[in-house]
Amino acid sequence: MTSQEAQQQEEVDREELARDCFMEAAAASAMAGVALKHGGPFGACVVRNGVIISCAHNTVLSDRDPTCHAEMNAIRDACKALDTHDLSDCELFTTCEPCPQCLGAIQWSRLKKTYTGVDRFTAAEFGFDDKVFYDEISAQSGHWAVKLGQTMPNVQPSMLNVYFGVEMDRVSKLLVDLDLNKTYRRRVGHKELGFHDSGERFGKDIIGIRAREGSDDDVSPPPSEDSSTASAEENSPRDGVDNKEASKYFDILEDALREAVRNGENKEREVFASCVVKDGQVISVAVNQVLKRRDCTATSEVLAIRKATRKLKTHDLHGCQMYSTMEPCLMSLGAVLWSRIDSLYYGLSQHAAARHGFEEGLLHYREVFSHPDTMKEVINVEPGIASEACSNVFKRWQKVNGIIY
């Protein structure tokens, strides 16, 4: 071995040792969480330039918050520490392969690489089987479960009742309201106001996405303000929906969006709003605040869930319903499933969002469900780092009779 080769090998060894140390730090946090009975046996840390920015474990039980998975906590803490929602210059070390909610958070955070300790099959051996969540999301995502242009009946799955196309006309108008949807104005343009029309290029991008999905739906560029925003996909049956009741809750969502613009809370100027309802009473209302909070996990659905769990003092929102202007993204739908919310009602799909400038949510779903080996294709991932230390966390959790939430 030449001196140059020896030097290169030494550098590789140092990097491998550093990766093991970072993963062991995540495992140590997970082990502490198990000892303190904070939640599941999971830990994660975010690293930038060889320095740990945040280290966290699952705190679903102690925080009474179904979104407080290790990866979500570590990403939130890193966003706060770095004062940005963009972690593209960071890496994530997580003791176990992420669930759909956390995978969505990794996508939104733009982490450049993710290292995992053990895979989801190891977690399943100890009672944490994410397969049911992936199956549910695959069945429930209106833009993925059927080809575009077809009518998708409301389904009654085991975990969540979903009703879409609720208050569709109202949400369609919100999408093209230039006071509310700054992204639509910027990406698509409005000729009467003299904005540059970038709709042609954007329309071609969406055409490419749909072509790869084998869609028969209309592939024209985003519609103008005067045209209908609803595709055949959104003209779905809405049996079981109390239109009068739904209209009341969508009034609240629209008021929240407009009030957020007036008081500066909605820096995004977007039309994503959600509320949680129980026994006919609104428990929480939230709008998207990713930019305001500089937190890539701060979607309207996640914030509404977190507010509701704090108010009800439980991580389990069984018996509650969620109303949302738009179909939740992968991360947010994962949060809805983890919260055990009974029913989800939303106005327009991720396809409608994509036609109006918000294509990332659609791309996240497409990436996940178009690849048989999701983790390797969707994000830059390296598995099997310090796997023994990560496995020991599960064994310890089992020994102390940890709770499966």
Side-chain angles (χ1 to χ4, degrees):
M1 179 182 294
T2 66
S3 59
Q4 183 178 2
E5 290 173 336
Q7 186 176 0
Q8 290 174 343
Q9 183 59 48
E10 183 180 351
E11 184 176 347
V12 169
D13 292 342
R14 285 200 304 268
E15 290 177 353
E16 289 181 353
L17 177 60
R19 287 198 294 268
D20 285 346
C21 290
F22 292 140
M23 187 64 78
E24 286 168 1
S29 182
M31 195 70 84
V34 170
L36 295 170
K37 297 185 178 181
H38 282 176
F42 307 96
C45 67
V46 173
V47 175
R48 185 174 73 165
N49 298 330
V51 176
I52 294 178
I53 304 300
S54 65
C55 193
H57 53 262
N58 184 297
T59 58
V60 167
L61 298 180
S62 60
D63 285 340
R64 297 172 178 172
D65 184 338
T67 74
C68 284
H69 290 198
E71 299 93 333
M72 296 282 281
N73 285 339
I75 288 172
R76 284 171 181 150
D77 290 347
C79 288
K80 184 176 181 179
L82 299 174
D83 197 29
T84 179
H85 66 284
D86 185 348
L87 302 180
S88 56
D89 58 349
C90 298
E91 298 174 325
L92 176 72
F93 290 78
T94 177
T95 57
C96 186
E97 184 176 342
C99 70
Q101 172 191 242
C102 297
L103 178 58
I106 292 170
Q107 290 174 305
W108 281 121
S109 68
R110 298 175 174 81
L111 285 155
K112 66 179 180 181
K113 189 162 186 176
T114 297
Y115 299 89
T116 62
V118 297
D119 59 26
R120 61 184 181 274
F121 303 109
T122 299
E125 292 175 6
F126 291 88
F128 289 91
D129 190 354
D130 290 339
K131 183 178 184 298
V132 63
F133 286 87
Y134 278 106
D135 289 347
E136 183 76 1
I137 289 174
S138 179
Q140 289 292 19
S141 303
H143 56 274
W144 187 261
V146 294
K147 291 174 67 176
L148 286 176
Q150 296 177 341
T151 297
M152 179 181 176
N154 291 315
V155 292
Q156 302 294 323
S158 58
M159 296 181 70
L160 180 69
N161 298 323
V162 176
Y163 303 91
F164 58 93
V166 181
E167 290 289 299
M168 179 177 61
D169 292 340
R170 181 208 297 254
V171 178
S172 297
K173 292 177 182 178
L174 294 177
L175 266 179
V176 294
D177 186 324
L178 299 181
D179 289 330
L180 289 179
N181 192 349
K182 186 169 65 175
T183 298
Y184 176 65
R185 182 175 65 182
R186 183 176 66 248
R187 295 292 298 275
V188 179
H190 195 281
K191 294 179 181 179
E192 291 181 6
L193 297 181
F195 292 107
H196 174 66
D197 185 2
S198 60
E200 183 177 356
R201 181 195 60 78
F202 178 68
K204 290 179 180 178
D205 291 343
I206 298 302
I207 288 172
I209 294 171
R210 292 178 174 180
R212 289 191 293 274
E213 290 179 348
S215 168
D216 294 326
D217 195 17
D218 171 34
V219 291
S220 59
S224 67
E225 186 174 4
D226 295 329
S227 63
S228 172
T229 61
S231 68
E233 167 214 0
E234 284 122 14
N235 289 321
S236 59
R238 292 179 290 280
D239 296 337
V241 177
D242 185 329
N243 292 326
K244 185 177 180 180
E245 190 81 355
S247 180
K248 177 178 70 174
Y249 299 131
F250 274 79
D251 283 343
I252 293 172
L253 296 181
E254 182 173 352
D255 288 345
L257 285 169
R258 297 194 184 281
E259 177 61 24
V261 169
R262 284 193 294 269
N263 63 24
E265 289 292 308
N266 187 359
K267 292 186 67 174
E268 283 83 350
R269 288 287 187 93
E270 297 174 353
V271 294
F272 299 93
S274 305
C275 67
V276 174
V277 176
K278 185 174 185 180
D279 298 329
Q281 299 296 316
V282 176
I283 305 300
S284 64
V285 183
V287 300
N288 186 305
Q289 291 193 359
V290 169
L291 294 183
K292 181 179 185 298
R293 294 179 178 232
R294 294 182 174 88
D295 177 356
C296 60
T297 72
T299 60
S300 63
E301 297 90 350
V302 169
L303 292 179
I305 288 171
R306 302 193 76 189
K307 287 182 179 180
T309 56
R310 285 196 296 270
K311 188 170 183 178
L312 298 176
K313 298 181 179 180
T314 177
H315 67 280
D316 188 343
L317 296 182
H318 177 69
C320 295
Q321 301 80 44
M322 173 172 281
Y323 290 81
S324 192
T325 52
M326 305 297 295
E327 178 181 13
C329 65
L330 175 64
M331 176 187 70
S332 300
L333 183 53
V336 172
L337 294 175
W338 278 113
S339 72
R340 304 299 195 272
I341 281 174
D342 291 347
S343 301
L344 168 67
Y345 303 82
Y346 67 83
L348 294 178
S349 73
Q350 286 288 342
H351 273 292
R355 289 196 297 272
H356 292 80
F358 306 100
E359 74 276 19
E360 283 191 272
L362 176 61
L363 292 173
H364 289 177
Y365 275 116
R366 185 182 64 83
E367 287 172 345
V368 168
F369 293 109
S370 62
H371 296 293
D373 193 343
T374 297
M375 285 289 293
K376 290 182 180 179
E377 296 292 342
V378 175
I379 58 177
N380 183 9
V381 62
E382 184 173 333
I385 306 299
S387 57
E388 184 176 354
C390 298
S391 297
N392 288 338
V393 180
F394 282 96
K395 294 173 183 177
R396 178 62 182 170
W397 178 83
Q398 187 178 55
K399 188 174 182 179
V400 300
N401 297 317
I403 298 173
I404 297 179
Y405 43 83

